[in-house]
Each structure stands twice: as structure tokens, then as C-alpha cells.
Amino acid sequence: MHVFVTGGTGLIGSGVVAELLGHGHTVLALTRSDTSAHAAAAAGAEPLRGGLADLDVLRDGAARTDGVIHLAFGNDFSSADALAKVIAEETAALATLGEQLTGSDRPLVTVSGTPWVPGRPSTEADPLPTDGLVGGRGRAVMAVLALAPRGVRSTAVRMPRTVHNEGNGGFAGLLTEIARRTGVSGYPGDGAQRWPAVHALDAAVLFRLALEQAEAGTCWHAVADEGDAVRDIAAVIGRRLGLPVKAVPEDTFGTLGPVFATDQPSSSTHTQTVLGWKPTHPSLLDDLENIQP
């Protein structure tokens, strides 16, 4: 299968590209810069220059391939307005990709976060939030899934709060950055709230499986660790950086403070059973041992 991948040189995307190439697929990778284009080519993919705002480029990429995996996102959490802007950009990009694929029965695999459900781990059957800070992403993904009756094999892989590799990435990576900046490895509240996690290379396998096997209109959870307590995450970060570990005010984490303070474990039992996905790489707490002082 010739696959169009957006975000193919990022933490998750580079693993997805390698996974696809290693299983006999070829890749057309959307690249925003010369550096990204060189990285994609070095990995064995064909670069296609452009970004999520370049809708004509997205149409071309989808038209030239047998399916799409969408991973690109602006990741600007500096303010609510900045986040709304990147969500709007992604929404338009997904609508464009979906329009191009309508009636083709080709796969469109998109990405979102796992939902949170009070009192229990979320499952693949739980709906995404469509209001609040990131509600726009939920609405965009639901629109993609709604393309299933229109001849698009649309599916969504829901990612946990931390996707990690060699101690980097996700919300845990943001905690590490904040700890380096403030001199304290902090956590909001009592730190008992749980975050799910997955190694980026395990997530890459699930994206391939979803592309190859998933039925239209389905959701899957890329969750290896159902939920690590945030204070345990902060403890490893503090030890690796030689910094004190303690509770800090929620506003220390800016726009994401309320999200960081929420208990949000998640399950992938259905995904592992149906698609045969089995995570094999290190857990988050083990992987954070790779953090360098």
C-alpha cells in the first residue's frame, strides 16, 4: 500500500514511517521544511513539501496514495487562543482529506486523545469530548468517523497523555521541561491522578494495524500503561534531574493545568483483543530513566 503520512518526521510519525516501510508499504510524507524533507528521504519515504494549511497539497497527497495516516498537529499549548488556532487548522485539513477520499473505500486513520471518564478507565466505546479546551479536536475526529457510510474506511487511534521514547515526549516530557525551567519537579494536587502512556514504537505498530485491518467508523486505544500516578512520574523526573519533587500550583502548567490535574486512566483491552496489538517496549516509568541531567 502507498500511504500518505502527515507528521511523518515527529516522535510518533518517524516510528510509523519505519513501521510501514518495514512491512512492505511505501510512504509519501508531508514535510514542512528542508530539514524534515531530508529526514523523510533518509528514512526511505518520498517527501511532499507542505503543511496542514496547504489544502491543495493535502488533496494531492491523498489522491496519489492508497490511504492516509494523519499525525500532524501544531502542538501550541501556549494559550487557549493558540490552541484553538491549531485545532482549526487541523479540522480544515481533515475535512479536506476526507473529501478527497470520499467514495474510494480507502483508509483514513486519524489521531486523537483518549477520553476521560470519572471513576474508571476510559474504553474505546466512550465518546470523545466535544466541548472544553480540546473539544474541537473531538468534533473533527467525529466528523472523520462519520465519513464511514460515504465510502471512507475512517478510523481513529486515540493516544494517551504521554507517548514516549528514550525519556522524551508527551505530558511527561512537558513535566520534564517545566522541571528544568523552574528547578522543581512538580505535580498538581496530590499527584494521585493517573495518566495513561505508550511507547512511540508500540503506537506505530497500532497505526499500521489500523490502516491494514480496522473497519470503517472504529476507534482504538494506543494504551500500554493504563495509568501512572503523576507524582510517580514527577519522582523519576526529579531523581534523574537531581531536583526536589513536590506539589505546585495548577497554574504552573499554564493552559494545560486543569488537564494535568485530572485523573484520566484508559484501557486498551478491546484494541489488543480485536487487532492483536501487544505493546512490547518499556513502560513510561522505565523509559523516563533515560532522562539526562
Side-chain angles (χ1 to χ4, degrees):
M1 191 181 297
H2 191 38
V3 187
F4 181 37
V5 179
T6 72
T9 57
L11 177 69
I12 303 171
S14 56
V16 169
V17 168
E19 177 72 15
L20 291 172
L21 294 173
H23 284 79
H25 301 289
T26 56
V27 175
L28 177 68
L30 185 71
T31 57
R32 290 182 297 175
S33 66
D34 289 341
T35 300
S36 294
H38 291 318
E46 175 190 353
L48 177 65
R49 286 298 301 270
L52 285 187
D54 300 315
L55 302 185
D56 287 340
V57 175
L58 297 182
R59 289 188 189 94
D60 178 53
R64 291 167 53 187
T65 50
D66 303 310
V68 177
I69 295 179
H70 165 68
L71 298 167
F73 187 67
N75 284 324
D76 188 346
F77 300 102
S78 60
S79 69
D81 287 345
L83 182 55
K85 182 177 179 180
V86 296
I87 289 175
E89 180 182 71
E90 180 185 48
T91 299
L94 282 171
T96 299
L97 292 169
E99 176 186 345
Q100 182 63 46
L101 294 176
T102 296
S104 70
D105 292 322
R106 286 177 285 167
L108 170 55
V109 184
T110 191
V111 63
S112 71
T114 53
W116 69 274
V117 179
R120 65 169 174 82
S122 66
T123 73
E124 295 87 345
D126 291 313
L128 291 175
T130 55
D131 54 11
L133 188 64
V134 294
R137 291 201 86 184
R139 293 191 296 273
V141 170
M142 295 305 294
V144 168
L145 297 178
L147 294 171
R150 298 175 56 195
V152 180
R153 186 159 63 82
S154 55
T155 188
V157 175
R158 297 169 170 182
M159 307 302 293
R161 298 304 178 262
T162 288
V163 183
H164 56 91
N165 192 355
E166 295 297 316
N168 298 313
F171 280 9
L174 292 177
L175 285 185
T176 303
E177 292 175 12
I178 293 168
R180 291 185 190 278
R181 187 172 68 247
T182 63
V184 173
S185 182
Y187 53 85
D190 64 4
Q193 66 272 28
R194 294 161 293 174
W195 292 351
V198 68
H199 195 284
L201 297 182
D202 284 324
V205 175
L206 181 54
F207 276 99
R208 176 182 59 81
L209 293 173
L211 177 83
E212 295 172 343
Q213 301 179 24
E215 295 183 1
T218 54
C219 296
W220 310 96
H221 278 191
V223 173
D225 306 349
E226 188 170 282
D228 296 308
V230 177
R231 64 185 174 215
D232 293 340
I233 297 171
V236 178
I237 294 170
R239 177 166 50 76
R240 295 299 302 165
L241 297 180
L243 296 175
V245 180
K246 63 181 182 180
V248 297
E250 192 175 294
D251 60 11
T252 301
F253 308 102
T255 304
L256 289 174
V259 180
F260 278 18
T262 302
D263 184 51
Q264 45 196 289
S266 187
S267 165
S268 63
T269 300
H270 175 75
T271 296
Q272 295 193 43
T273 299
V274 175
L275 292 184
W277 177 64
K278 301 297 179 186
T280 60
H281 289 84
S283 68
L284 172 60
L285 296 182
D286 287 342
D287 198 27
L288 289 176
E289 297 293 344
N290 289 296
I291 293 174
Q292 298 301 310

